[in-house]
Structures are given as structure tokens and as C-alpha cells.
Amino acid sequence: MFSKIPFLQPQRLIIIHSNGIKNFKPPPNFDHIDFPEKPKLRFLDKVPILPPNVKPPKMQKKLKLMRGPEEVHNTLLHKQYGIIALGGGRLKWGHFEMIRLTIGRKMDANRMFAIWRVDAPWQPITKKGQGQRMGGGKGGIDHYATPVKAGRVIIELGGKCEFKEVKDFLHDVAMKLPFKAMAVSQEILDKQKEQERWEEENNQNPYTMKYIIQNNLGGCYRWLSPTDMKYFCKYV
């Protein structure tokens, strides 16, 4: 026996066309924007330049340079667009070149500009050769890097353009960085701050992470690190 399939009636497409005066928003005004002398990102040195009679110094790891929030370079100077770090990490020279080449190729230099908001690689990272024994002193300098904290603005991009024009290639660059990052505009940053303020004022749950850590609920002091006690597990 074959099951009966109900006959499907073709649906009629009704198009309603309304005539009248259209109200479109005026285009944004970019007369207040000041362009720098060089619109593209400048080339950064792979190795810091030292005097000829100075031996390149070595450093400790200093993980504190990547932990916690960025307290200085966390706002957009030109109040337009940029890439902001969501976590800590190190930028190598290859990441700087990837950012410079990608943005220089995708942006329109006639009406856009981009500037660096991070320093060139300056922190020496040491490494021992393959198969060496333990001991023997600190290894030689392998490369240089730039430590970045959460909330640090990596680059800024502005000019006579809207966010929808630059969002795609800024997002592509942010996804290739060695830490979590995102493409932002000034409106996005303002909304995030307003959302954080609203959540803090309207929170009805008294058991926040700050309350739990400060009161040692469940004996959490046994497995929390000093960084967790300082930032209340907000920055990993």
C-alpha cells in the first residue's frame, strides 16, 4: 500500500508596493578628522637598536607584563575603529608584519589611515638549542616580543569611512593574533561599558566572584592563585 501524500497548494506571492516620500538618513560628516602625514602603518624593527658598545641584555619572563587589565592604552584616541586585545599575550615581529601588510593592502590610503598603539618588539625571549643538557647558564636570545595586556589597543584605523567598510579585514587580522582580540568601534566600546555598568547595578545575585573569593567560600583559597585573588578570576 502506498501512503497518500496530500496535495500541496501553490502559495501565492503577494507583493505590496507603497509609494510615497522616502526618508533616508544623511551621510556621516568626516570634516573634523585630521589625517597624519603617513596614512599607512610604518615598518617596525625586528631587533631593538642598541649602541655599538652595549651587549644585548637578557630578561626574565616577567609574566606580570601580560597579566591583568591594561590601564593606560585602553581607549581609542581618534574615536573611530581599531583592534583591541581581549587577553594577555606576546606579539612577535611576524605578527607586526602580518598586521602591516594586511591592513596596508586592504585599506584605501586616499581616505583612511592607520596607526600603531603598541611598541616595536623590545622584550628579549631566550631559548636553548635542541638537545642541550640542563644547566650551563641562561640561553641565548632567540627573538624579541612585545607583551600585551587585556584591553590594550593594538592598532587604530580611521578616516572618511564607516565601520562596515573596515570591519571584515580588521576581524581577519584579529583572528590571526596569538591571543583573543576583536575589531571594535567607539560605539561598541561605549555599549560594552554601559552594559557592564548596568549589569553591576542590577545584579540580584549576591554571590559574585568577588564575594566568594573575599569570604573564602568552599575553601577556594586552597586552589586560587595570587592573580585570581587580585583580579577575581576576570583575567586569566
Side-chain angles (χ1 to χ4, degrees):
M1 296 295 293
F2 294 96
S3 60
K4 295 184 179 179
I5 301 177
F7 181 75
L8 299 178
Q9 295 289 340
Q11 297 181 357
R12 299 173 61 186
L13 182 62
I14 301 175
I15 301 177
I16 301 176
H17 181 73
S18 60
N19 296 327
I21 300 176
K22 305 298 181 183
N23 185 14
F24 297 103
K25 294 182 180 180
N29 187 10
F30 301 108
D31 295 337
H32 62 284
I33 297 175
D34 296 329
F35 282 75
E37 296 181 0
K38 296 182 179 181
K40 292 188 177 182
L41 295 173
R42 61 184 179 88
F43 177 82
L44 299 179
D45 295 326
K46 188 175 184 179
V47 178
I49 300 176
L50 300 174
N53 58 346
V54 175
K55 183 179 179 181
K58 301 176 184 179
M59 288 180 60
Q60 298 174 340
K61 289 185 178 180
K62 291 194 175 183
L63 299 180
K64 65 180 181 180
L65 298 176
M66 299 182 290
R67 289 174 175 167
E70 174 64 38
E71 298 178 353
V72 180
H73 303 282
N74 54 9
T75 57
L76 298 175
L77 298 178
H78 295 274
K79 307 299 181 183
Q80 284 193 282
Y81 325 114
I83 298 176
I84 191 169
L86 301 179
R90 288 194 182 105
L91 286 173
K92 298 181 181 180
W93 182 77
H95 299 123
F96 284 96
E97 281 296 282
M98 180 272 298
I99 296 172
R100 185 181 69 88
L101 295 175
T102 304
I103 293 182
R105 184 171 59 251
K106 297 292 183 65
M107 65 177 276
D108 186 0
N110 295 324
R111 56 189 183 90
M112 300 180 190
F113 66 90
I115 59 173
W116 291 110
R117 291 295 304 276
V118 289
D119 301 325
W122 60 269
Q123 185 182 18
I125 308 298
T126 59
K127 183 180 179 181
K128 286 200 170 185
Q130 188 78 14
Q132 288 192 9
R133 293 178 178 268
M134 296 284 289
K138 193 172 180 65
I141 296 177
D142 182 68
H143 63 276
Y144 288 85
T146 300
V148 172
K149 291 185 177 182
R152 178 68 182 259
V153 179
I154 308 299
I155 64 160
E156 275 196 57
L157 192 144
K160 299 180 179 179
C161 58
E162 298 185 28
F163 185 56
K164 62 180 70 176
E165 300 180 54
V166 302
K167 179 181 178 181
D168 291 339
F169 64 84
L170 287 181
H171 177 74
D172 292 341
V173 172
M175 293 297 103
K176 296 176 183 178
L177 294 179
F179 43 79
K180 290 185 179 181
M182 66 177 296
V184 297
S185 64
Q186 187 62 39
E187 296 179 359
I188 293 176
L189 294 179
D190 294 340
K191 288 181 180 179
Q192 287 181 351
K193 291 183 179 180
E194 183 66 24
Q195 181 69 17
E196 291 178 0
R197 185 188 64 82
W198 184 88
E199 290 178 355
E200 185 176 355
E201 293 178 354
N202 296 272
N203 182 28
Q204 298 180 0
N205 183 12
Y207 294 98
T208 59
M209 187 60 68
K210 181 178 179 180
Y211 180 85
I212 292 172
I213 293 176
Q214 288 180 343
N215 292 274
N216 192 22
L217 298 186
C220 59
Y221 278 8
R222 292 176 297 175
W223 49 269
L224 284 177
S225 66
T227 306
D228 295 331
M229 295 182 184
K230 182 177 180 180
Y231 300 114
F232 306 113
C233 300
K234 188 175 181 180
Y235 303 98
V236 180

